[in-house]
């Protein structure tokens, strides 16, 4: 296993070191700015939360060249990697990838952008590094099957941050592979229960991933890193199982960044298909008293069945909360998971009548689909059923455009200049002569 992991990591490192932005296929070149726009928007929205502002004050970050996106200041590379990483995921709005079973972009973009600002790297180099971060993380996500109960934040994705930062530093193939391997030796042993319990350590796992990836790249730049097939021991021994061949399957021809999804609900992606189905049923159920809502889903989403919650995070990981909110309010935005809406008696009461069950026929459709089937039974004896194959926003099911993302982010961030600046930065970055000033403009709220 470790020998195969060593060889595959070496091949992946050589590919990453040789990648040139101008040689990337046009559909991929078009997709990266859209993913970057989404990630920057999620980060800026997270930065506005009172708890994120309190964290920044308690952290007391050192001044530096890297912006806290929407956070009102520029700080050191290390602090930006940590704090932007946390802000990106704390509202559950950032881009994800069903084949990687997690969030490749969030694992590495904060570290790459912070380092790019420090280096004032040119746009093509920065874009290539971001793409490398995504593709490497996604491939490690495909290769890793975590043990039951494990959460994907902070484990396989450290390799993406390491690869992206190493590519940005201009390291050769062997050194990039060493950085990736070192990142594979720095995973977090994260348990899904922390998210269900509403423990914000779940968000910190993403800050740790970005910071650890940055450290791995710097170790490789110093000549202190080696490729020894570490993933075979950590991801494949301690945390789950690992298939090294997935690291290099269709390398250079399949681009996972084109296969991801954007999110319109501020909640775990496993809850989205059920919320979408309820929103489709909602008009026909106006004025009808609901007896029960059955959500049939796949096994990945089975654990999100709690009907009690005590903070934002635990609510965002409760399918009953999300379904009840969608049914009663017509949307699941960030405002739904803060008091007093968080404890709205009407939402709490309906959520108590939401039941979650695994359906074998839906489970069999993974990973190409993440389906849900919702059955609403009303007190007059009627049954209303709707099934969706994937959440809205998946590239395979009502994909969101730049205009859609702009609308969503304007709703989150208001009518100020920040949404436009985020879109402008994401669009201009790949061709910029230097990215420091461009990124620096994003610090302003």
């Amino acid at each position: 296993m470790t020998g195969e992991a060593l060889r595959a990591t070496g091949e992946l490192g050589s590919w990453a070191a040789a990648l040139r932005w101008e040689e990337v296929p046009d559909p991929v070149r078009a997709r990266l700015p859209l993913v970057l726009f989404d990630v920057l928007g999620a980060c800026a929205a997270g930065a506005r939360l009172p708890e994120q502002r309190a964290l920044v004050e308690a952290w007391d970050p050192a001044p530096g060249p890297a912006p806290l996106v929407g956070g009102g200041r520029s700080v050191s590379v290390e602090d930006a990697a940590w704090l932007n990483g946390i802000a990106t995921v704390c509202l559950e709005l950032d881009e994800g990838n069903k084949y990687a079973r997690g969030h490749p972009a969030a694992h590495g973009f904060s570290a790459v952008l912070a380092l790019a600002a420090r280096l004032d790297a040119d746009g093509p180099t920065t874009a290539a590094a971001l793409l490398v971060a995504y593709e490497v993380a996604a491939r490690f996500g495909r290769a890793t099957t975590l043990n039951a109960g494990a959460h994907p934040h902070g484990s396989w994705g450290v390799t993406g941050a390491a690869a992206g930062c190493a590519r940005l530093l201009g390291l050769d193939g062997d050194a990039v592979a060493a950085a990736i391997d070192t990142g594979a030796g720095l995973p977090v042993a994260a348990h899904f229960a922390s998210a269900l319990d509403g423990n914000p350590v779940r968000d910190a796992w993403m800050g740790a991933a970005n910071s650890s990836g940055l450290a791995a790249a710097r170790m490789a730049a110093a000549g202190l890193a080696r490729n020894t097939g570490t993933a075979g021991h950590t991801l494949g021994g301690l945390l789950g199982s690992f298939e090294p061949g997935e690291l290099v399957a269709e390398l250079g021809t399949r681009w996972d960044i084109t296969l991801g999804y954007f999110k319109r609900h501020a909640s775990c992606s496993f809850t989205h298909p059920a919320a979408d189905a309820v929103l489709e049923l909602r008009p026909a159920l106006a004025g009808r008293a609901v007896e029960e809502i059955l959500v049939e889903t796949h096994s990945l989403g089975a654990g999100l069945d709690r009907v009690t919650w005590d903070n934002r995070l635990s609510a965002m990981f409760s399918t009953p909360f999300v379904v009840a909110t969608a049914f009663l309010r017509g949307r699941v935005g960030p405002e739904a998971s803060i008091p007093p809406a968080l404890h709205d008696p009407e939402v709490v009461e309906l959520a108590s009548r939401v039941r979650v069950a695994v359906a074998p026929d839906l489970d069999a459709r993974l990973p190409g689909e993440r389906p849900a089937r919702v059955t609403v039974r009303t007190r007059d004896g009627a049954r209303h059923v709707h099934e969706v194959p994937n959440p809205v926003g998946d590239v395979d099911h009502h994909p969101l455009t730049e205009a859609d993302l702009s609308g969503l982010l304007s709703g989150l961030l208001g009518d100020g200049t920040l949404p436009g600046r985020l879109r402008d930065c994401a669009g201009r970055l790949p061709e910029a002569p230097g990215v420091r000033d461009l990124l620096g403009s994003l610090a302003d709220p």
Side-chain angles (χ1 to χ4, degrees):
M1 167 71 76
T2 55
E4 294 176 19
L6 186 156
R7 287 188 291 275
T9 300
E11 185 177 342
L12 191 58
S14 296
W15 170 83
L19 182 71
R20 296 295 177 267
W21 179 248
E22 57 272 16
E23 298 172 359
V24 171
D26 288 343
V28 182
R29 287 162 61 92
R31 182 69 176 181
L32 177 68
L34 201 58
V35 172
L36 179 57
F37 180 30
D38 177 86
V39 170
L40 291 174
C43 185
R48 294 190 171 187
L49 296 178
E51 55 264 41
Q52 186 67 14
R53 290 174 175 170
L55 176 61
V56 172
E57 291 306 312
W59 198 283
D60 191 22
L68 293 182
V69 178
R73 65 177 84 181
S74 291
V75 300
S76 72
V77 172
E78 295 77 14
D79 290 334
W82 256 101
L83 294 170
N84 284 334
I86 293 172
T88 297
V89 299
C90 65
L91 277 174
E92 271 294 302
L93 285 168
D94 58 295
E95 187 266 4
N97 190 294
K98 63 189 175 187
Y99 298 104
R101 292 166 288 191
H103 300 261
H107 273 97
F109 277 26
S110 292
V112 170
L113 293 173
L115 184 57
R118 166 69 180 82
L119 299 172
D120 196 20
D122 64 58
T125 299
T126 305
L130 290 169
L131 184 56
V132 161
Y134 192 105
E135 294 298 318
V136 170
R139 286 173 176 278
F140 270 86
R142 284 178 179 266
T144 304
T145 301
L146 293 170
N147 291 330
H151 194 287
H153 276 18
S155 56
W156 46 259
V158 180
T159 58
C165 289
R167 173 64 182 80
L168 197 58
L169 292 171
L171 304 187
D172 65 21
D174 288 343
V176 175
I180 294 170
D181 190 80
T182 301
L186 294 169
V188 173
H191 202 285
F192 216 101
S194 295
L196 301 176
D197 293 339
N199 189 330
V201 70
R202 175 261 180 193
D203 302 333
W205 296 332
M206 201 60 85
N210 279 274
S211 182
S212 293
L214 179 64
R218 286 172 164 167
M219 289 182 66
L224 294 176
R226 297 178 60 203
N227 176 18
T228 60
T230 298
H233 293 299
T234 54
L235 301 174
L238 296 176
L239 298 182
S241 60
F242 188 72
E243 175 45 63
E246 289 288 350
L247 300 185
V248 294
E250 302 177 83
L251 187 59
T253 58
R254 187 195 71 223
W255 300 87
D256 281 335
I257 198 169
T258 66
L259 304 176
Y261 57 81
F262 297 125
K263 302 173 76 173
R264 63 172 182 160
H265 306 305
S267 62
C268 175
S269 65
F270 295 157
T271 71
H272 284 216
D276 292 339
V278 165
L279 290 175
E280 289 294 323
L281 291 171
R282 191 170 181 260
L285 293 166
R288 312 282 289 275
V290 174
E291 181 67 28
E292 180 189 58
I293 300 177
L294 170 63
V295 176
E296 294 177 278
T297 185
H298 48 78
S299 55
L300 296 176
L304 278 65
D305 60 350
R306 297 187 184 185
V307 296
T308 60
W309 53 87
D310 61 9
N311 70 354
R312 178 197 303 278
L313 184 59
S314 58
M316 293 191 300
F317 275 78
S318 163
T319 294
F321 169 83
V322 172
V323 165
T325 299
F327 183 85
L328 293 169
R329 305 294 173 245
R331 60 177 263 118
V332 188
E335 74 284 350
S337 54
I338 58 174
L342 179 65
H343 304 295
D344 185 326
E346 193 176 16
V347 172
V348 171
E349 196 280 328
L350 181 57
S352 71
R353 288 183 277 118
V354 176
R355 185 162 58 91
V356 180
V358 175
D361 65 313
L362 302 185
D363 213 33
R365 287 152 62 180
L366 294 171
E369 294 184 10
R370 283 188 173 179
R373 183 166 52 241
V374 172
T375 302
V376 179
R377 190 162 53 85
T378 57
R379 288 177 181 166
D380 58 10
R383 291 173 72 255
H384 298 259
V385 182
H386 190 71
E387 181 179 310
V388 296
N390 277 300
V392 170
D394 190 285
V395 294
D396 297 324
H397 186 65
H398 302 297
L400 301 184
T401 65
E402 183 184 85
D404 294 327
L405 290 179
S406 293
L408 287 171
L409 291 177
S410 293
L412 287 170
L413 301 172
D415 296 328
T417 64
L418 184 54
R421 282 186 279 127
L422 297 173
R423 183 178 62 251
D424 182 62
C425 176
R428 289 173 52 200
L429 180 139
E431 306 304 328
V435 301
R436 179 181 296 158
D437 291 342
L438 186 62
L439 294 172
S441 69
L442 304 183
D444 295 334

